[in-house]
Amino acid sequence: MATDFTEETAAEAVIESFAPDTDDRLREVLASLVRHLHAFARDVELTIPEWEKAIDFLTRVGHQCDDERQEFILLSDVLGLSMLTETISNRKFGVATESTVLGPFHVVESPARALGDTIDLVGTGTPCVVTGRVVSVDGTPLPGATLDVWQANDQGFYDVQQPDVQPRTNGRGLFTADDQGEFWFRTIVPSYYPIPTDGPVGELLKATGRHAFRPAHIHFIVAAPGHRDLTTHIFVAGSEYIESDTVFAVKKSLVVDFEEVTDPASAEKWRVGKVPFRHADFDIVMQPAPKA
Ligand code: BEZ
Ligand code: FE
């Protein structure tokens, strides 16, 4: 005889309903999800109006998604789930550079640029040169490593957010490290900025008294043969919100001094054109890929 569905037996009843040939990993993930979800509902004594409100919220999150906007990822970001998943998947091994979230503003086709080129196509803001080396964990340089770079402008907007204001590909570039694994490019110091708040995620931030800002940063995806791809940022030391990133993506090891340089000879060396400018220098240490 079937037993009644009770608070105590509910989760196991759902899990036992999975067919015996269910994929092992799917069973493991779903069983854990059901147990935690039921434990959560019991813990807060979830009411029917609250359940309805949650369904309405998630429905609106879905309606806010299209080819250019992913409100579910944004929700995952502000709940810390993106960073937690990122951190679990990229447990730090020794000296390898730490990873952080990809974010929604990466585009597939960053324009290839030569070392030393500028990614700033507008000419406002504080000039800046970014230099460094890509090496493996044992210090061996990685010539030919590629660095896909993107950033917001000095007003805190990405090119794709201002199609009528910024030239397409402003703040973006794909660079290839030289024979010594070295890279350099010119840009402007990016600004801190708010994540999109005109959807349900914005409502959630407002309802919980949270701000929407991310500290100033430059994104990187670095790739080198025989190594795991690295998705990371460098953060501008001293930026607003460096202590309270709304997507929890700051790691201390990724905070870099954007040092002020006033020496005209350095401006000439780095083709910056004027002083003062900023110089950010950091090495990227890549983790060897696991052997197949
Ligand atoms: C970004 O850095 O581009 C970003 C990351 C997470 C949410 C929104 C923006
Ligand atoms: Fe960003």
Side-chain angles (χ1 to χ4, degrees), residues 44-266:
V44 300
E45 304 222 337
L46 193 66
T47 65
I48 291 173
E50 286 165 348
W51 175 86
E52 285 171 347
K53 205 166 174 183
I55 298 289
D56 171 65
F57 178 80
L58 291 173
T59 304
R60 287 187 297 111
V61 170
H63 285 157
Q64 195 66 241
C65 295
D66 58 29
D67 287 351
E68 318 233 298
R69 172 91 174 250
Q70 233 303 351
E71 194 80 356
F72 273 113
I73 294 185
L74 210 55
L75 178 60
S76 162
D77 292 340
V78 301
L79 293 179
L81 181 62
S82 308
M83 263 318 278
L84 176 62
T85 309
E86 182 72 33
T87 305
I88 291 168
S89 306
N90 292 283
R91 289 197 175 101
K92 195 176 175 212
F93 298 99
V95 294
T97 297
E98 293 190 278
S99 58
T100 192
V101 292
L102 175 68
F105 296 119
H106 179 248
V107 295
V108 180
E109 39 345 308
S110 275
R113 302 195 197 276
L115 291 177
D117 277 357
T118 185
I119 61 172
D120 167 39
L121 309 181
V122 176
T124 56
T126 306
C128 173
V129 58
V130 180
T131 62
R133 240 168 35 120
V134 185
V135 297
S136 190
V137 283
D138 63 359
T140 312
L142 296 173
T146 56
L147 301 100
D148 187 352
V149 176
W150 68 106
Q151 69 167 75
N153 68 5
D154 59 326
Q155 304 297 309
F157 294 103
Y158 286 87
D159 59 348
V160 290
Q161 294 177 291
Q162 293 188 308
D164 300 330
V165 177
Q166 295 187 45
R168 183 68 191 84
T169 78
N170 185 39
R172 299 181 189 271
L174 181 65
F175 295 93
T176 303
D178 70 11
D179 295 350
Q180 316 301 315
E182 290 181 1
F183 64 89
W184 76 282
F185 61 91
R186 290 170 294 137
T187 182
I188 51 148
V189 179
S191 171
Y192 63 92
Y193 64 82
I195 64 168
T197 54
D198 56 342
V201 169
E203 285 170 32
L204 182 71
L205 292 179
K206 196 162 174 224
T208 51
R210 282 175 59 178
H211 71 72
F213 289 92
R214 300 216 57 213
H217 57 272
I218 303 178
H219 293 262
F220 287 80
I221 297 176
V222 188
H227 291 73
R228 292 165 52 130
D229 286 1
L230 173 71
T231 299
T232 195
H233 311 352
I234 56 171
F235 292 92
V236 180
S239 167
E240 290 84 347
Y241 305 103
I242 199 93
E243 302 289 345
S244 61
D245 184 357
T246 198
V247 300
F248 309 98
V250 177
K251 292 180 173 171
K252 286 195 189 71
S253 67
L254 302 176
V255 178
V256 174
D257 269 338
F258 280 56
E259 227 177 285
E260 187 176 67
V261 183
T262 53
D263 167 27
S266 297

